[in-house]
Every structure is written in C-alpha cells, then in structure tokens.
Amino acid sequence: MTTTAIEAAVLRVIDEMHANLGQELTIDDMARTAMFSKFHFTRVFRDVTGTSPGRFLSALRLQEAKRLLLQTDFSVADISSQVGYSSVGTFSSRFKSCVGVSPSMFRELDGFTTEIGPGEQSEGAAEHSRGALRGRVHLPQDRAPGHCFVGLFPTPVPQGRPVRCAVLDGPGSFELRDVPAGTWHVLVHSVPYGYEHMPSGTGDRDVVSVGSYGPVTAHEDTLLMPAEIVLRPLDALDPPMLMALLDLRADAMDRIAG
C-alpha cells in the first residue's frame, strides 16, 4: 500500500475514535475499520502516529475532558463518564498524570498551570554544561511566529511533566541542561503571538505549529548532537498536546512576577 493509503486508513480509525470517546473501542474494532489484520494495524498505526492505538485513544479522551472542563459546567464525575471512565478516581489520577494538574485545578486555572516541572528553564545564553542538548527551532516563512515550548519526553506524546524543558520567546536556539541518561523525544509546541489565551491542545493547523526530534539517547556526561527542529502545522495524525502549559498572557505573568 502507498503511504497515502496507509495514512488514510489510520485517519479513518482516528475519526472512529473521536466518534466513540465514551464507548469501548477494541483493537479488533479499529483493525476492522482500517481493513488490516490486528497485528499489522498496530504496527502501521505506531509507524504513522508515533504511538500505539490505545495510547492515542486515551490521549483523545483526556483532550476531550480538557475541553469539557473549560467549556461546560459538567461535574468532574460526569465528564469522566462521558470520556469512557467508569471510575472518577481513575480518571482524575490519569488526568493529573498526563496534564500535570488535577481536573478541578485545570478548570480553576482556565487550562493553564503555574509551573511545568523540574526542567523548566528560561531562554538565554548558558555556560557550557555536560549532559546538555542544544538545538534550534526553525519556523517556515508561511507560519506566524510566537512563543515556543520545548520539552524532553520519554515518548512521542507530549503528556506528563517533561524531564527538561524551556520556554522560548520565539523560534531560535535552546539548551536543555543536565539531561538524564536515557532515550528521549524533543517535542515543540508553538502558537502565534496574540494567541497566548489558548490552552495547550486547542486550535487547529492554522494556529498551532509543532515539531519533534528523536529519539535521542543520552549518556552520562555527554553533549548530544545539535537538534535542528523545523515546525509545521498540526496534523490530525499528531497525538494531542495533553500537558498544561504556563499562562503567558501579560496579566498572568504580572501576577506570577508579583
């Protein structure tokens, strides 16, 4: 099959996921929709999206939960049921693990967070350090510039707290210091200036730009090869951005500074 045909089959499955977020959807169901054998489908889906069908579906469910928390008055229990969880406790635990804050705090903070994680760094020149990953974020001329979140994750899905991260004022150079030994993915998320009010995971390809690099394997006391990351429009095949980002709106930054 051609790459186009394979991607079309995966997109059919993702459409089915969106239509059945609150229902049980098995690998067998998905494979039938794709018209592949179950084992071939799982491999193809991972090749196209970077993650497994189950993890992709879980991410879509939590993304819908984020939307419902911000745009409706439904209780956390109601929302957990609507996105396919039989236990509100399991839902809340999974939500906090992937988004970085609890469902109620996510709603209270309008979809943002007050801190990202232990690797949070500001933009700017840094002294040479071991175990560092340096690179540059490039933006095509047809994309509008804006703040860039650069995070180091164990999987291609931007969920949970990154092990290291940086928030850039715009496309350009970055350095992630003291990178732990392991295999990591560098994921970048950007929206144009003026869209800082949009929580992570909202907006379409006309607004959101994404990029990735890796996997890269870091060893103790090594300087990794520079990462050149070219941003592109968000695609339906991209796993959703689950983690809550810092609120970069001017009034929010003033509150943090104060």
Side-chain angles (χ1 to χ4, degrees):
M1 294 182 68
T2 65
T3 300
T4 300
I6 291 173
E7 290 185 353
V10 172
L11 283 171
R12 285 199 305 273
V13 174
I14 293 175
D15 286 342
E16 184 179 29
M17 290 179 179
H18 280 287
N20 295 278
L21 291 178
Q23 308 300 320
E24 182 180 2
L25 196 61
T26 67
I27 294 294
D28 288 328
D29 295 331
M30 299 180 201
R32 279 193 295 270
T33 298
M35 294 184 287
F36 292 145
S37 71
K38 179 168 64 174
F39 301 105
H40 182 57
F41 163 70
T42 300
R43 180 176 62 80
V44 164
F45 191 97
R46 185 184 293 275
D47 288 345
V48 171
T49 67
T51 191
S52 69
R55 287 185 179 275
F56 200 101
L57 176 59
S58 176
L60 289 182
R61 284 174 167 158
L62 291 176
Q63 186 67 9
E64 174 64 4
K66 289 167 60 180
R67 185 190 71 81
L68 292 171
L69 285 165
L70 296 179
Q71 297 182 10
T72 75
D73 293 325
F74 294 138
S75 68
V76 171
D78 286 340
I79 291 173
S80 70
S81 177
Q82 289 186 47
V83 297
Y85 284 81
S86 57
S87 164
V88 65
T90 300
F91 164 73
S92 296
S93 176
R94 180 68 176 163
F95 188 98
K96 184 173 182 178
S97 173
C98 293
V99 179
V101 293
S102 68
S104 57
M105 183 60 69
F106 182 81
R107 172 176 272 169
E108 182 178 332
L109 295 175
D110 294 327
F112 294 94
T113 184
T114 55
E115 63 174 342
I116 296 178
E120 186 179 328
Q121 299 172 4
S122 60
E123 184 183 21
E127 296 181 359
H128 172 74
S129 59
R130 292 182 173 181
L133 173 62
R134 295 171 178 169
R136 189 172 185 87
V137 176
H138 303 270
L139 189 73
Q141 291 185 350
D142 61 343
R143 305 296 293 172
H147 294 95
C148 297
F149 166 79
V150 183
L152 198 63
F153 295 87
T155 74
V157 182
Q159 66 182 30
R161 293 196 171 190
V163 295
R164 295 292 181 268
C165 64
V167 179
L168 312 181
D169 286 341
S173 299
F174 67 87
E175 180 180 32
L176 303 177
R177 308 171 204 165
D178 300 321
V179 174
T183 299
W184 311 105
H185 297 261
V186 185
L187 305 178
V188 184
H189 178 276
S190 180
V191 295
Y193 300 121
Y195 285 82
E196 291 86 358
H197 63 284
M198 291 175 48
S200 63
T202 59
D204 57 21
R205 59 179 287 117
D206 293 332
V207 175
V208 181
S209 296
V210 297
S212 63
Y213 179 84
V216 294
T217 300
H219 302 283
E220 187 175 359
D221 295 338
T222 60
L223 185 65
L224 295 167
M225 291 291 290
E228 300 292 332
I229 303 173
V230 179
L231 298 183
R232 57 173 175 79
L234 181 71
D235 189 271
L237 297 169
D238 292 314
M241 177 77 169
L242 290 183
M243 66 167 292
L245 295 178
L246 291 172
D247 191 345
L248 297 178
R249 293 173 293 186
D251 58 338
M253 297 304 288
D254 289 342
R255 288 197 301 271
I256 293 174

